[in-house]
Coordinates of all heavy atoms in Angstrom, one line a residue:
Chain A
Q1046 N -12.7 -34.3 22.8 CA -11.9 -35.5 22.9 C -11.8 -36.0 24.3 O -11.9 -37.2 24.6 CB -10.5 -35.2 22.4 CG -10.4 -35.0 20.8 CD -9.5 -33.9 20.4 OE1 -8.6 -33.5 21.2 NE2 -9.8 -33.3 19.3
M1049 N -14.8 -37.9 25.2 CA -14.8 -39.3 24.8 C -14.1 -40.2 25.8 O -14.6 -41.3 26.1 CB -14.0 -39.4 23.5 CG -14.6 -38.7 22.3 SD -16.2 -39.5 21.8 CE -17.3 -38.3 22.4
G1050 N -13.1 -39.6 26.5 CA -12.5 -40.4 27.5 C -13.4 -40.6 28.7 O -13.5 -41.7 29.3
A1053 N -15.8 -43.3 27.8 CA -15.2 -44.7 27.9 C -15.1 -45.1 29.3 O -15.4 -46.2 29.6 CB -13.8 -44.6 27.2
V1071 N -7.6 -51.2 29.9 CA -8.5 -51.2 28.8 C -9.2 -49.9 28.6 O -9.4 -49.4 27.5 CB -9.6 -52.4 29.0 CG1 -10.7 -52.2 28.0 CG2 -8.9 -53.7 28.8
I1072 N -9.7 -49.3 29.8 CA -10.3 -48.0 29.7 C -9.4 -47.0 29.1 O -9.8 -46.2 28.2 CB -10.8 -47.6 31.1 CG1 -11.9 -48.5 31.6 CG2 -11.3 -46.1 31.0 CD1 -12.3 -48.1 33.0
L1073 N -8.2 -46.9 29.5 CA -7.3 -45.9 29.0 C -7.0 -46.1 27.5 O -7.0 -45.2 26.7 CB -6.0 -45.9 29.8 CG -6.1 -45.4 31.2 CD1 -4.7 -45.6 32.0 CD2 -6.5 -44.0 31.3
F1074 N -6.9 -47.4 27.2 CA -6.6 -47.7 25.8 C -7.8 -47.3 24.9 O -7.6 -46.7 23.9 CB -6.3 -49.2 25.7 CG -6.0 -49.7 24.3 CD1 -4.7 -49.3 23.8 CD2 -6.9 -50.4 23.5 CE1 -4.4 -49.7 22.5 CE2 -6.5 -50.8 22.3 CZ -5.3 -50.5 21.7
V1075 N -9.0 -47.7 25.3 CA -10.1 -47.3 24.5 C -10.3 -45.8 24.4 O -10.6 -45.3 23.4 CB -11.4 -48.0 25.0 CG1 -12.6 -47.5 24.3 CG2 -11.3 -49.5 24.9
S1076 N -10.1 -45.2 25.6 CA -10.2 -43.7 25.6 C -9.3 -43.1 24.5 O -9.7 -42.2 23.8 CB -9.8 -43.1 26.9 OG -10.6 -43.7 27.9
F1077 N -8.0 -43.5 24.6 CA -7.0 -43.0 23.7 C -7.5 -43.1 22.2 O -7.4 -42.2 21.4 CB -5.7 -43.7 23.9 CG -4.5 -43.0 23.3 CD1 -3.8 -42.0 24.0 CD2 -4.1 -43.3 22.0 CE1 -2.7 -41.4 23.4 CE2 -3.1 -42.7 21.4 CZ -2.4 -41.7 22.1
L1078 N -8.0 -44.3 21.9 CA -8.4 -44.6 20.5 C -9.6 -43.7 20.1 O -9.6 -43.1 19.1 CB -8.9 -46.0 20.4 CG -7.8 -47.1 20.3 CD1 -8.4 -48.4 20.1 CD2 -6.8 -46.7 19.2
L1079 N -10.6 -43.6 21.0 CA -11.7 -42.7 20.7 C -11.3 -41.3 20.5 O -11.7 -40.7 19.5 CB -12.7 -42.8 21.9 CG -13.7 -44.0 21.9 CD1 -14.6 -43.9 23.1 CD2 -14.5 -44.1 20.6
G1080 N -10.6 -40.7 21.4 CA -10.2 -39.3 21.3 C -9.3 -39.1 20.1 O -9.4 -38.2 19.4
G1081 N -8.4 -40.1 19.9 CA -7.5 -40.0 18.8 C -8.2 -40.0 17.4 O -7.9 -39.3 16.5
F1082 N -9.2 -40.9 17.4 CA -10.0 -41.0 16.1 C -10.7 -39.7 15.8 O -10.7 -39.2 14.7 CB -11.0 -42.1 16.3 CG -11.9 -42.2 15.1 CD1 -11.5 -42.7 13.9 CD2 -13.3 -41.8 15.2 CE1 -12.4 -42.7 12.8 CE2 -14.1 -41.9 14.1 CZ -13.7 -42.3 12.9
I1083 N -11.3 -39.1 16.8 CA -12.1 -37.8 16.6 C -11.1 -36.7 16.1 O -11.4 -36.0 15.1 CB -12.7 -37.3 17.9 CG1 -13.7 -38.3 18.4 CG2 -13.4 -36.0 17.7 CD1 -15.1 -38.2 17.9
A1084 N -10.0 -36.6 16.7 CA -9.0 -35.6 16.4 C -8.5 -35.9 15.0 O -8.3 -35.0 14.1 CB -7.9 -35.5 17.4
A1085 N -8.2 -37.2 14.7 CA -7.6 -37.5 13.4 C -8.6 -37.2 12.3 O -8.3 -36.8 11.2 CB -7.3 -39.0 13.4
F1201 N -3.9 -37.4 15.9 CA -4.4 -38.6 16.6 C -3.8 -38.7 18.0 O -4.6 -38.9 19.0 CB -4.0 -39.8 15.8 CG -4.5 -41.1 16.4 CD1 -5.7 -41.6 16.1 CD2 -3.6 -41.9 17.2 CE1 -6.2 -42.8 16.7 CE2 -4.1 -43.1 17.7 CZ -5.3 -43.5 17.5
G1204 N -5.4 -36.0 20.2 CA -6.8 -36.3 20.7 C -6.7 -37.4 21.7 O -7.5 -37.4 22.7
G1205 N -5.9 -38.4 21.5 CA -5.8 -39.5 22.5 C -5.4 -39.1 23.9 O -6.0 -39.5 24.9
V1206 N -4.4 -38.2 23.9 CA -4.0 -37.7 25.2 C -5.1 -36.9 25.9 O -5.3 -37.0 27.1 CB -2.7 -36.8 25.0 CG1 -2.4 -36.0 26.2 CG2 -1.5 -37.6 24.6
A1208 N -8.2 -37.4 25.6 CA -9.2 -38.3 26.1 C -8.7 -38.9 27.4 O -9.6 -39.2 28.3 CB -9.4 -39.4 25.1
L1209 N -7.4 -39.2 27.5 CA -6.9 -39.7 28.8 C -7.3 -38.8 30.0 O -7.6 -39.3 31.1 CB -5.4 -39.9 28.7 CG -4.9 -41.0 27.8 CD1 -3.4 -41.0 27.9 CD2 -5.5 -42.3 28.2

Side-chain angles (χ1 to χ4, degrees):
Chain A
Q1046 290 137 25
M1049 294 295 106
V1071 167
I1072 294 178
L1073 290 177
F1074 184 71
V1075 172
S1076 303
F1077 193 89
L1078 285 184
L1079 279 180
F1082 174 72
I1083 300 271
F1201 181 82
V1206 167
L1209 291 182

